[in-house]
Each structure stands twice: as structure tokens, then as C-alpha cells.
Amino acid sequence: MNEAEIIQKLQQGNEQAFRHLVENYQKRVVNTCYGLVQNTEDAEDIAQDVFVEVFRSIGSFRADAKLSTWLYRIAVNRSLNHIRDNKKRKWFQSFEDAVKEKKAGLLHYATENPGTELENLQRANILHEAISSLPENQRTAFTLNKYEELSYKEIAEIMDVSVASVESLIHRAKT
Amino acid sequence: MNCNTLHTKMIFFLEGELPEREMEEIKIHLESCTDCAAFAEEMKKTLAVLETDKTPQLNPFFYTRVKARLEKQAEEKVVTQRIPVFARILQPAIFSVLLLAGIYTGIKIGQPAKINSDQSVYTENEMIPYLNEMEAEAIENFLME
Ligand SMILES: [Zn+2]
């Protein structure tokens, strides 16, 4: 099935086409959400919602856009919304809760990645913190670039900005 | 470039994404500053972690869960679609019944208009919940058939 066929079948409500789409894009969507929210469970939860939204709004999909661009865009928007909601909630959370959560997250990472030593866990934690500290649009550009290895041009399409803006976002993340 | 600036640029230095001039500047700094060299080494290892970090294991139940979510939302949609039917058809119906009842009692009792309206408000408050319940059940049964 090529992209045009998939889209057409999806618009007819074909379940097999939907399954095909989910299986084809699951990894990319989960990965993008993960890069942004930095939490496995949340990433999967958001990714599921992304596909639900895709199925329900495929009728309004414009044929001139790429399916992957559209999927990435929904994934980014939903992840950023999640981060915003989370921030509001975190604001009310006590410091102790935050520490507990961090420890749990680290433990979760340890059980998910058996073979890795504690040193690597600490590194992963440093990295997560560094990424989480980036402003939204930079975090998005960074995630799509580093986690998904997308080109600046692809990132520009997803974020609906110019290539120059993506470059400057990535470059500003450096200063 | 001082050590702090260099630290914030390190991730991009290691990815080879800085302008050539800055790449060169950092290389020279790293040769003379042991602190920054150690930091660079540490960051390099951290970035290597990213490589394993960025491919989360695929959940074999992922599609099943998406499917379940879709079905759940479809069900909820059916339920919420029922409510506007009540609002559109039943509410005006109930109000006209109440209005007629009010006018009727008004005429019957032959009281001044002011007291009459007070009375109809009272009747409305008392009757709406009761009527809503009765009619809602009737429609529900009708839909089930
Ligand atoms: Zn230094």
C-alpha cells in the first residue's frame, strides 16, 4: 500500500489500513513523544491518542501534505500540551513528590534497560534534565533532530516554520 | 570563550554542529583546560546513552489499545448525542405544557397577574425534575427497541 492508497482507505474507514498505519508509524510517534515528555508511559499514552485523533480527523487531511509530517505535528502538539498540563500540576506538587518521581523514573529506566550500569542511568538522568530544561520550540526541534534524525527541512515542515528558523533554534540551543 | 559558555555548547560541539570557527576554538580550549576536557568526555558518554534511550521498546499491545480507545470514544459519543435530543424537543415541550398550565390555573383562580406568575414559577420548579425523569425514560426505552 502506498501513501495515497492508505489515505484513501483510511478516509473510507478501512480498519486494515488503520492497522497498517499504526504499525508503520508507531515507533516514530512513540519516539517523538518520548523525546519531548521524557517518560515512557506518558509517551505511549500520548501516542495512542495521536492515532485516535488521526483516525477521527483523516477526513480533513489535505493530500498535499505528507502523512508523516501530519503525524509528527499531532505528536508534537499533544506532547507539548501534556508538558504544559504537567507543569501546572507540578507547580502544586511538593518538592518531595518531585524527588520521589525522579527516583521512580530512574528505577523504571533501570528495569527497562537491564544491562546498563548505574553510571549510565545517571547520565541518562542528566540528559533528560538537560532536554527538559529547553524551551518548547527548541525542545521540539532538538527531539525531532536527535531522536528522530529528521533533516532541518522536515523539521521546518512539521513545525510550520522556515528552515532558517529551525537552524537558529538549534543554534540558539547551543548558546 | 569561557568555561561556562563552552559547557552549554558542548552537546553541539560533539555533534559537530557548530560553526567551524567555534569548533576550532573549543578544540583549542579542551587541550588546555582539564575541567572542560573531563566534561566533554562525560557528555560524550551521555550522548551515547541517548542512542539506546531513543528507541523505546515497542509495546505489542499498542494497536489493541488504540483500537479500544477508539471504540470507547465512539460509545461516549452515542451517549452524548442523546442529550441534545432531550434539550431540543423535550425542553420546549415541557415549557409549553407548564406555560399552559400556568395560564390555565391563572384563569381558573382569577387572581391578579402578579400572583399568577409567582405561582407558575413555583409549579415549574416542582415539575421539571419530575417530568424530565419520566420523559427521559420513555425515550430511552424507545431507543432500546
Ligand atoms: Zn574550560
Side-chain angles (χ1 to χ4, degrees):
Chain A
M1 264 194 282
N2 67 33
E3 207 174 285
E5 279 169 351
I6 291 176
I7 293 165
Q8 202 191 2
K9 284 193 176 160
L10 279 175
Q11 287 175 336
Q12 290 161 356
N14 182 306
E15 200 192 312
Q16 209 196 335
F18 184 58
R19 190 188 190 115
H20 186 83
L21 176 93
V22 172
E23 280 165 0
N24 246 338
Y25 286 96
Q26 175 188 350
K27 196 174 168 186
R28 280 177 267 184
V29 171
V30 173
N31 214 9
T32 303
C33 296
Y34 180 72
L36 285 162
V37 302
Q38 299 283 313
N39 175 299
T40 319
E41 275 167 44
D42 289 352
E44 229 180 77
D45 191 54
I46 298 163
Q48 284 170 18
D49 277 341
V50 169
F51 285 108
V52 169
E53 185 177 335
V54 164
F55 187 79
R56 300 181 71 192
S57 55
I58 188 78
S60 61
F61 178 70
R62 290 174 298 112
D64 59 323
K66 258 171 74 186
L67 200 52
S68 61
T69 306
W70 191 49
L71 273 160
Y72 277 125
R73 205 176 279 171
I74 298 174
V76 167
N77 282 339
R78 287 202 167 248
S79 300
L80 291 181
N81 279 337
H82 174 89
I83 294 164
R84 286 180 207 130
D85 288 350
N86 227 15
K87 259 185 200 151
K88 272 181 239 156
R89 244 180 291 139
K90 283 247 172 72
W91 204 77
F92 295 102
Q93 243 179 12
S94 69
F95 177 70
E96 242 173 291
D97 277 353
V99 171
K100 232 184 275 168
E101 202 175 82
K102 196 157 279 174
K103 273 189 188 156
L106 209 64
L107 211 69
H108 188 76
Y109 185 89
T111 45
E112 266 189 7
N113 306 272
T116 46
E117 336 88 76
L118 187 70
E119 208 189 37
N120 274 352
L121 293 184
Q122 279 163 344
R123 285 204 188 94
N125 208 29
I126 290 165
L127 186 73
H128 291 178
E129 253 169 52
I131 295 171
S132 301
S133 71
L134 291 172
E136 273 182 15
N137 49 5
Q138 281 179 320
R139 202 203 290 212
T140 304
F142 184 86
T143 297
L144 292 172
N145 187 224
K146 295 286 176 290
Y147 278 77
E148 278 301 297
E149 290 168 22
L150 298 183
S151 68
Y152 286 2
K153 188 173 168 286
E154 285 171 300
I155 297 169
E157 273 167 24
I158 293 161
M159 295 179 74
D160 207 13
V161 294
S162 66
V163 175
S165 313
V166 174
E167 274 169 358
S168 96
L169 274 178
I170 305 240
H171 281 271
R172 247 190 292 150
K174 298 165 192 172
T175 52
Chain B
M1 202 183 291
N2 64 32
C3 295
N4 275 338
T5 326
L6 193 133
H7 281 205
T8 55
K9 293 191 179 199
M10 189 59 79
I11 200 168
F12 302 97
F13 167 77
L14 294 171
E15 300 269 330
E17 276 180 33
L18 287 176
E20 223 170 290
R21 188 185 47 81
E22 280 184 319
M23 292 290 289
E24 219 29 63
E25 204 179 328
I26 291 175
K27 258 183 222 161
I28 293 164
H29 183 108
L30 289 179
E31 278 164 20
S32 57
C33 177
T34 49
D35 271 4
C36 283
F39 179 81
E41 199 47 46
E42 191 56 36
M43 182 64 98
K44 206 189 263 173
K45 285 177 185 163
T46 304
L47 281 176
V49 169
L50 177 70
E51 286 302 311
T52 57
D53 187 48
K54 71 182 178 184
T55 44
Q57 275 191 332
L58 286 185
N59 182 339
F61 301 109
F62 190 85
Y63 179 71
T64 320
R65 297 209 173 128
V66 172
K67 202 74 212 319
R69 254 175 220 213
L70 262 176
E71 276 155 17
K72 191 165 165 268
Q73 286 193 0
E75 266 170 43
E76 279 163 6
K77 211 179 164 193
V78 170
V79 173
T80 49
Q81 265 172 352
R82 284 186 190 172
I83 296 159
V85 176
F86 297 132
R88 267 204 320 271
I89 302 164
L90 279 179
Q91 261 182 26
I94 291 165
F95 283 125
S96 29
V97 166
L98 284 172
L99 186 65
L100 284 174
I103 292 168
Y104 178 73
T105 39
I107 295 166
K108 190 100 180 173
I109 297 163
Q111 295 280 23
K114 194 174 167 262
I115 298 166
N116 172 30
S117 67
D118 280 355
Q119 206 173 25
S120 76
V121 167
Y122 178 69
T123 326
E124 247 174 69
N125 287 342
E126 220 177 35
M127 280 182 81
I128 287 174
Y130 178 64
L131 274 179
N132 255 342
E133 237 168 59
M134 271 188 51
E135 296 293 331
E137 226 165 71
I139 287 267
E140 204 95 21
N141 290 339
F142 174 72
L143 286 171
M144 296 304 242
E145 277 166 17

